[in-house]
Amino acid sequence: MFHSIKSKFLALCLSSLCVLGLAVGAVSLTALTRATSREEVDNMNRTAELYRSELDLKLVQTEDVVSFAATGLVSGASAGTGALWDGARRARFTAGLDRILRDTLLSLPEARAYYTYYAENLTGGAADGVWYVREDEHSPFHQRQWYKASEFLPESSQDLTLYAKSAETGHGHWVEPYYSIAQGKMLISYVVPVYRDGTFLGLVGVDLDFGEILRLLERRPVYETGYAFLADATGKTHYHIDAPQGVSEDHLGAKLIDKDVSHGATSATDALGRYQVGGTAYDIATCSLRNGLELLVMAPTHEVQAEARAATLQLVAILIFCLLLFAAITLVLTQRLTRHLQALSSAAREIAHGNLDVQIHVESDDEVGKLAGVLQHTVSSLKETLARLHRLTFNDGLTGILNRLGIDRALEDWHAQAQGTPAVLISLDLDDFKFINDLLGHAAGDEALRALARRLRDFFGRTALVARNGGDEFTVLLPATTAAQAERLLSELTQAPQHYLYGGVERSFTLSIGYVSYPDQAESLHDLMRYADAALYATKLKGKNGFSRYAAEQEQVDRAKLSFSLRDISQNLPGAIIVCSAADGKVLYANDEAFRLLDCTDLDDFAAYTQKDVVRILYPGDRTETIASVRSQTAKGEARQAYVRCRVRTKEGEVRYVFVFARKRASAYYGEVYYVVMVEEKEPA
């Protein structure tokens, strides 16, 4: 069907245009969906925030009025001897508060009552105060009979303390929605109990019409059929204008579908809830009022997403129109486009052969030129991606230096070009790395490894190859370096203190190092790695914190001896061994004999029983005397050691007699520590 280059190219352009259009359309639709969804979430949250601000303003007005009246009550009681204890003065003061409350609350349509009750210690036991009530916002306040203030005191002295604290700080408390028999309606109240010098003077409060607040929310628009309502702090009880007393959250058969984080939300905190009610999905935005109630704004999901659907349809129409337009233009410009195909074809062949440095030269502003630009950008992005993959493959993710695969390849490249030029291969690790992990956690161990990697790179410079083999083992190659030069460098490295920062505290560590020189001691990479490793273990056998050059006799070292370590020794000595901090008694180490002595099965059981505090091991009756004796003895003389007999209490509650030998020493890692050996004795006759 397509016999000419022109027809073939035209078919190619049209098909490519369709594919490109679909790709652009998919990306555009995704971006548009995200943008409109984000706007939908913001609209719902802004609506909820707007209504919340409106309600909170009314609550703040109420709190200000009540707080002002409460402050006036305290001031009146402080105005002089008998200021409020005299009935006539109290009546004049009450009339002043009444005028202030009445004039202020008339501007608050939801206010239904205000009251000031005086304590019986002011009134001689008689009921005194004011209580004014109105039916609605258009009615005047009229006085009602009041009660004794003692009827409002909480039964719990703890609650009374909370009331006193609220009054002293100028804050009262909101009462959850309740039905008032006296007023015949649902109310929410703000009440401030007033104290002066610990003496209860009375209380001041204002009642708001909860039903009117719900009606206010009902009149607020939320899309076409959505609405707003209130819930308690737990969200389990919902308050509607038709059910102001509250109903359970599932009264309409509502079912939570999900927390719609994908619906344009940037985080779970501003995501809309998605509920199913009567077969219809609803989106709900939630925010808290200052009185502890929750404001919920809900609307059918199809209404919330209507704008997004309209925008999507518009975008699809635009994309279809653009595809048709571009197809027509392609027909017109086919002849012009064919002259640039050779350049693109040549570039494509270069890319296919792996040449990502290709430069596509197409001097054109038309679609082919743009396609060439897109292809050039794609090649650049691919090149960057391959570079990132290369780094991930050959570099250690924790420290950023070469990993085992990277150093193997780098050593092979170096060895292929070394041609006998002197070099030194170093194998090293961080001493007592397991103690760092066990004592401070793996996060501290990771920071120590990162600090060591930075130290090695800075110390040996750019020409050195620095790698982390795994765990705490590192390899360093010093090209063009003699053994004597390496000796001086390693001496300087091990003599300088090594530090890492964790938890705001600078901590130190030491290194064990082994090295071998090329080519006088070994020529093959296999031998170099093996000899450097042997030299490292020789350093460990000498006590760590140093360096050793490879020697032939090191090959005879039985590495199994390295396992004859602190654990082997401590686990087989005939006594319980415990190491603890001298500062706070924190247990740093314990052997199996210590577990057995205290009836613990293993380290975890031991840690759970002692809570890592050595004092908990001692029998309660012996603790003070034993601790004092140990501290006193270890503070004397150069030996700084103590001998004491005492009792210990096991996990099972059994009391055992032990002879304790303790020695106090300074540790580079833990500061002052006690090394304690306990031997069980028979109960004295």
Side-chain angles (χ1 to χ4, degrees):
M1 180 177 179
F2 302 103
H3 299 289
S4 66
I5 295 177
K6 183 176 180 179
S7 61
K8 292 179 180 179
F9 180 72
L10 179 60
L12 175 63
C13 288
L14 290 175
S15 60
S16 299
L17 185 60
C18 291
V19 173
L20 181 61
L22 290 175
V24 172
V27 173
S28 300
L29 284 174
T30 301
L32 178 62
T33 301
R34 290 179 179 175
T36 54
S37 296
R38 176 70 263 173
E39 184 65 22
E40 293 159 8
V41 172
D42 288 342
N43 284 341
M44 288 290 286
N45 285 326
R46 278 196 296 267
T47 301
E49 183 63 23
L50 177 63
Y51 297 164
R52 182 200 66 78
S53 300
E54 183 179 6
L55 294 181
D56 273 351
L57 179 60
K58 298 180 182 296
L59 299 179
V60 169
Q61 288 180 278
T62 304
E63 293 175 7
D64 289 344
V65 171
V66 176
S67 297
F68 179 80
T71 303
L73 181 58
V74 174
S75 300
S78 305
T81 304
L84 293 180
W85 279 260
D86 180 73
R89 292 184 181 181
R90 190 166 61 250
R92 289 194 298 273
F93 179 75
T94 301
L97 285 181
D98 176 39
R99 285 193 301 273
I100 294 173
L101 290 170
R102 179 187 301 272
D103 294 341
T104 305
L105 293 177
L106 283 173
S107 63
L108 187 60
E110 293 77 16
R112 292 293 175 267
Y114 63 90
Y115 37 87
T116 301
Y117 295 101
Y118 294 107
E120 286 85 340
N121 59 334
L122 296 179
T123 65
D128 193 6
V130 294
W131 181 25
Y132 282 86
V133 179
R134 66 175 178 176
E135 294 298 324
D136 53 50
E137 62 178 296
H138 305 294
S139 303
F141 285 99
H142 56 275
Q143 190 171 10
R144 297 282 295 271
Q145 179 183 359
W146 55 81
Y147 304 94
K148 290 185 179 181
S150 59
E151 298 179 15
F152 291 88
L153 281 173
E155 297 179 359
S156 170
S157 61
Q158 181 180 2
D159 292 340
L160 182 60
T161 303
L162 293 176
Y163 284 167
K165 182 177 180 181
S166 298
E168 292 169 2
T169 58
H171 299 289
H173 67 280
W174 281 97
V175 180
E176 293 185 355
Y178 66 96
Y179 182 77
S180 171
I181 298 177
Q183 299 187 45
K185 56 174 62 72
M186 289 292 295
L187 303 174
I188 55 173
S189 302
Y190 185 68
V191 181
V192 175
V194 184
Y195 293 80
R196 183 177 70 85
D197 298 332
T199 301
F200 178 66
L201 301 179
L203 55 88
V204 180
V206 169
D207 299 335
L208 300 183
D209 189 335
F210 188 59
E212 187 61 32
I213 292 175
L214 294 177
R215 279 188 288 274
L216 175 67
L217 285 178
E218 185 186 29
R219 294 192 293 268
R220 295 297 182 260
V222 181
Y223 288 96
E224 296 179 8
T225 61
Y227 57 93
F229 61 95
L230 298 177
D232 65 1
T234 65
K236 301 297 184 183
T237 302
H238 291 179
Y239 301 99
H240 303 268
I241 186 60
D242 297 328
Q245 296 88 353
V247 292
S248 63
E249 61 174 338
D250 58 353
H251 68 287
L252 296 177
K255 178 182 179 183
L256 178 64
I257 299 177
D258 60 1
K259 190 72 170 178
D260 192 16
V261 179
S262 64
H263 190 76
T266 57
S267 67
T269 58
D270 69 348
L272 302 181
R274 179 70 58 77
Y275 284 83
Q276 188 82 23
V277 181
T280 302
Y282 284 83
D283 284 350
I284 299 181
T286 306
C287 58
S288 298
L289 300 178
R290 62 187 295 114
N291 65 345
L293 295 180
E294 294 287 327
L295 171 64
L296 294 91
V297 175
M298 67 182 295
T301 302
H302 68 270
E303 294 181 9
V304 177
Q305 298 180 358
E307 182 180 349
R309 289 198 299 273
T312 301
L313 292 176
Q314 292 176 359
L315 178 61
V316 171
I318 292 173
L319 286 175
I320 293 175
F321 172 77
C322 290
L323 286 175
L324 294 176
L325 177 62
F326 290 160
I329 295 174
T330 301
L331 290 172
V332 177
L333 300 178
T334 299
Q335 184 63 40
R336 182 182 176 185
L337 294 176
T338 53
R339 61 192 177 95
H340 300 302
L341 290 178
Q342 186 61 41
L344 288 176
S345 178
S346 176
R349 283 194 298 269
E350 291 291 328
I351 295 171
H353 286 87
N355 181 15
L356 298 181
D357 295 322
V358 63
Q359 295 296 321
I360 305 173
H361 301 286
V362 175
E363 300 297 333
S364 174
D365 295 330
D366 55 19
E367 285 78 3
V368 174
K370 294 179 181 179
L371 181 60
V374 171
L375 183 59
Q376 185 72 70
H377 177 72
T378 301
V379 172
S380 300
S381 299
L382 179 59
K383 187 176 180 180
E384 293 176 359
T385 300
L386 290 176
R388 287 196 297 270
L389 290 176
H390 182 275
R391 288 193 297 271
L392 292 174
T393 302
F394 297 104
N395 289 80
D396 179 51
L398 177 65
T399 62
I401 61 177
L402 295 174
N403 58 18
R404 180 60 180 267
L405 185 60
I407 191 62
D408 287 346
R409 193 183 69 158
L411 287 176
E412 289 175 358
D413 293 342
W414 161 80
H415 191 262
Q417 302 176 4
Q419 298 180 353
T421 303
V424 171
L425 184 67
I426 300 170
S427 181
L428 61 90
D429 66 15
L430 193 153
D431 292 335
D432 301 317
F433 180 67
K434 185 177 183 301
F435 284 168
I436 297 178
N437 282 333
D438 291 346
L439 179 65
L440 301 176
H442 289 281
D446 290 347
E447 188 54 46
L449 294 175
R450 283 191 286 264
L452 176 55
R454 291 192 296 268
R455 172 64 170 159
L456 295 177
R457 283 186 301 188
D458 295 342
F459 184 81
F460 290 114
R462 294 180 176 271
T463 59
L465 297 177
V466 181
R468 178 188 174 210
N469 294 347
D472 63 331
E473 297 181 3
F474 290 75
T475 296
V476 179
L477 175 69
L478 302 179
T481 303
T482 64
Q485 292 172 329
E487 183 95 10
R488 290 192 294 271
L489 288 173
L490 295 178
S491 177
E492 180 183 350
L493 176 64
T494 54
Q495 290 178 7
Q498 315 297 329
H499 299 288
Y500 68 96
L501 188 66
Y502 179 73
V505 179
E506 188 174 67
R507 307 173 188 275
S508 62
F509 61 87
T510 59
L511 303 174
S512 292
I513 303 173
Y515 71 97
V516 59
S517 60
Y518 168 88
D520 53 323
Q521 288 189 302
E523 294 187 2
S524 70
L525 284 177
H526 177 267
D527 288 343
L528 286 170
M529 296 294 291
R530 185 163 59 89
Y531 292 171
D533 191 48
L536 168 62
Y537 278 93
T539 303
K540 288 183 173 293
L541 285 175
K542 291 189 297 185
K544 306 179 182 180
N545 189 20
F547 62 93
S548 301
R549 185 183 182 189
Y550 170 73
E553 58 270 16
Q554 293 170 355
E555 287 292 294
Q556 307 302 320
V557 172
D558 182 5
R559 293 191 181 180
K561 295 179 180 178
L562 291 176
S563 63
F564 193 69
S565 59
L566 170 64
R567 177 175 178 83
D568 296 300
I569 296 172
S570 64
Q571 302 295 40
N572 292 289
L573 284 175
I577 299 176
I578 297 177
V579 183
C580 63
S581 170
D584 55 11
K586 181 179 180 181
V587 176
L588 305 174
Y589 176 80
N591 66 350
D592 288 347
E593 184 63 21
F595 305 158
R596 185 206 62 77
L597 177 65
L598 297 173
D599 291 336
C600 296
T601 57
D602 52 27
L603 178 60
D604 292 336
D605 194 27
F606 177 82
Y609 169 60
T610 63
Q611 298 181 10
K612 296 186 178 181
D613 186 356
V614 72
V615 175
R616 294 179 60 86
I617 297 173
L618 300 175
Y619 183 73
D622 293 353
R623 289 177 181 175
T624 302
E625 182 180 352
T626 301
I627 293 172
S629 177
V630 170
R631 288 179 176 173
S632 174
Q633 293 183 56
T634 54
K636 301 175 182 178
E638 297 182 358
R640 303 176 71 188
Q641 56 192 27
Y643 304 90
V644 63
R645 282 184 167 84
C646 63
R647 291 172 290 179
V648 296
R649 185 172 61 185
T650 72
K651 175 186 173 183
E652 305 301 329
E654 182 181 351
V655 177
R656 294 176 178 171
Y657 291 81
V658 295
F659 177 75
V660 178
F661 172 64
R663 178 173 291 172
K664 188 177 183 182
R665 289 292 184 269
S667 167
Y669 297 104
Y670 313 118
E672 294 282 340
V673 299
Y674 282 112
Y675 295 88
V676 180
V677 177
M678 294 186 296
V679 179
E680 186 176 1
E681 295 184 326
K682 294 182 179 180
E683 181 178 353

